[in-house]
Amino acid sequence: MESQVQPKLIIHGGAGSSLHGKGGLEAVRRSLYTVVEEVYALLLSGATASEAVLQGCQMLEDNPRFNAGTGSVLQSDGQIRMSASLMDGALGRFSGVINISRVKNPIELAQFLQNSPDRVLSDFGSAELAREMQIPSYNALTDLRLQEWIQERQDNFKSTMAGVVAEPELLETSNAGRGTIGVVALDASGRLAAGTSTGGKGFERIGRVSDSAMPAGNYATCNAGVSCTGIGEDIIDECLAARIVVRVTDGMSLKDAMQRSLGEAHQNKRDLGAIALDASGAIAWGKTSEILLAAYHDGEKIGDTLEWNDSELTGYC
Ligand code: ASP
């Protein structure tokens, strides 16, 4: 019989520049808490870490506020291409889809691929898989993302990324931001899993590949799990998720691994954020960007990083 541990959960809805007012912040908090409450209850009822990650990612993908699934940002040609990955830490198995269009939940395909000999598919292959799985065609476009794209087009795509969350007030200033979603869970049997899903950074070149379906942006072993957000190229250059997990595997505490890795990312002038759990139940997060939209359940209560001040790059509980 596997020993019972206290489940832990941390989720994110992207990292980026400020939320433009309290209205945005409270709405984002409510959205994140709804997911934490539901997914944590699932973990308490005996769901595996991978099942919890799947459920959390689906809920976040379905919320048009976040840049994943419904509400994904548009690429330079006005099309949506999404990427998602799942890593089951207990199995040590990564799977994902890259630049898939016209499906509601890219994470579902990533989950399906967990049991396939071919575990990461790009655009054409993932569309074929969606057809084989008989997933209905779905248009993830929202009016806000379309308006955002039109505004950016008029501005010659000067922003490095699309808005962190789809809030009408963000469109007024069209500030560059980041947005993506991620979930890391520790289940009652001590298994870890991490999932990440994104519409990309927005306005990118056709064929650009996001970190979200790479071990640089989403990684888990039996020791730790990490999901990243921010400028994908920066996350890839730091190989951030795998870097944090490997440090923990080599004996560093999660707190130190997060601190060291985010310190290096800061020094290298990267623009990113990460959430993490380890097998002992430690929770950690970090960012070099202005804000990180994360919320967690530590077994007793829900907390978040929405009003976390900038003096520290990392936080724990
Ligand atoms: N990391 C994602 C990407 O670059 C974007 C994000 O996190 O918002 O595709």
Side-chain angles (χ1 to χ4, degrees):
M1 167 100 184
E2 286 167 289
S3 63
Q4 291 287 300
V5 306
Q6 175 76 61
K8 298 284 167 83
L9 177 69
I10 183 162
I11 69 171
H12 73 76
S17 42
S18 95
L19 271 178
H20 297 263
K22 215 60 180 159
L25 191 140
E26 282 310 322
V28 167
R29 179 171 281 142
R30 269 198 308 279
S31 297
L32 293 175
Y33 281 27
T34 305
V35 177
V36 169
E37 276 160 15
E38 191 167 322
V39 177
Y40 196 74
L42 201 67
L43 282 167
L44 287 180
S45 73
T48 66
S50 279
E51 286 163 355
V53 166
L54 175 66
Q55 172 72 9
C57 287
Q58 273 172 338
M59 288 181 78
L60 290 160
E61 285 176 342
D62 289 345
N63 188 329
R65 201 178 292 288
F66 303 114
N67 170 25
T70 306
S72 283
V73 297
L74 276 60
Q75 303 199 336
S76 55
D77 60 344
Q79 299 297 312
I80 289 177
R81 296 181 187 85
M82 301 166 286
S83 299
S85 68
L86 176 67
M87 183 138 187
D88 184 311
L91 298 174
R93 196 183 286 165
F94 182 95
S95 58
V97 287
I98 296 172
N99 289 332
I100 186 167
S101 301
R102 306 202 75 81
V103 297
K104 190 165 183 240
N105 294 111
I107 194 71
E108 239 181 74
L109 284 94
Q111 195 272 335
F112 180 89
L113 289 169
Q114 276 283 304
N115 299 311
S116 158
D118 304 317
R119 278 191 272 109
V120 184
L121 298 181
S122 65
D123 45 8
F124 181 73
S126 41
E128 277 290 297
L129 177 65
R131 192 179 55 78
E132 276 170 40
M133 289 171 70
Q134 302 190 332
I135 294 178
S137 174
Y138 179 80
N139 186 0
L141 180 65
T142 62
D143 288 352
L144 277 173
R145 291 304 190 187
L146 182 59
Q147 282 172 42
E148 187 183 49
W149 184 81
I150 291 169
Q151 214 173 75
E152 275 302 315
R153 184 165 179 257
Q154 280 158 2
D155 219 18
N156 226 358
F157 299 116
K158 278 214 284 291
S159 294
T160 47
M161 285 187 83
V164 58
V165 284
E167 295 296 334
E169 60 266 37
L170 282 178
L171 294 175
E172 283 160 28
T173 52
S174 189
N175 231 357
R178 348 270 157 249
T180 237
I181 66 97
V183 178
V184 185
L186 173 70
D187 67 28
S189 303
R191 290 173 295 222
L192 286 156
T196 306
S197 181
T198 189
K201 62 181 178 178
F203 324 127
E204 62 265 70
R205 200 185 171 93
I206 302 169
R208 181 255 182 189
V209 175
S210 165
D211 64 288
S212 300
M214 291 185 193
N218 188 74
Y219 199 65
T221 62
C222 53
N223 302 109
V226 176
S227 167
C228 300
T229 178
I231 304 263
E233 285 69 8
D234 287 359
I235 296 165
I236 294 166
D237 288 346
E238 294 295 307
C239 202
L240 188 64
R243 188 182 198 124
I244 296 168
V245 171
V246 168
R247 282 186 159 146
V248 174
T249 306
D250 285 349
M252 209 181 254
S253 71
L254 183 68
K255 179 178 172 188
D256 289 349
M258 182 65 82
Q259 215 161 37
R260 170 89 76 94
S261 307
L262 268 287
E264 289 162 349
H266 181 66
Q267 250 176 13
N268 293 334
K269 301 194 170 32
R270 312 296 191 193
D271 192 346
L272 45 75
I275 57 169
L277 294 181
D278 75 7
S280 77
I283 304 177
W285 55 88
K287 64 166 175 63
T288 58
S289 49
E290 258 177 58
I291 51 160
L292 173 67
L293 310 179
Y296 53 85
H297 203 305
D298 66 4
E300 278 172 19
K301 58 179 184 330
I302 298 183
D304 67 63
T305 64
L306 300 185
E307 284 165 296
W308 161 31
N309 85 45
D310 256 341
S311 58
E312 302 270 331
L313 290 175
T314 54
Y316 329 91
C317 67

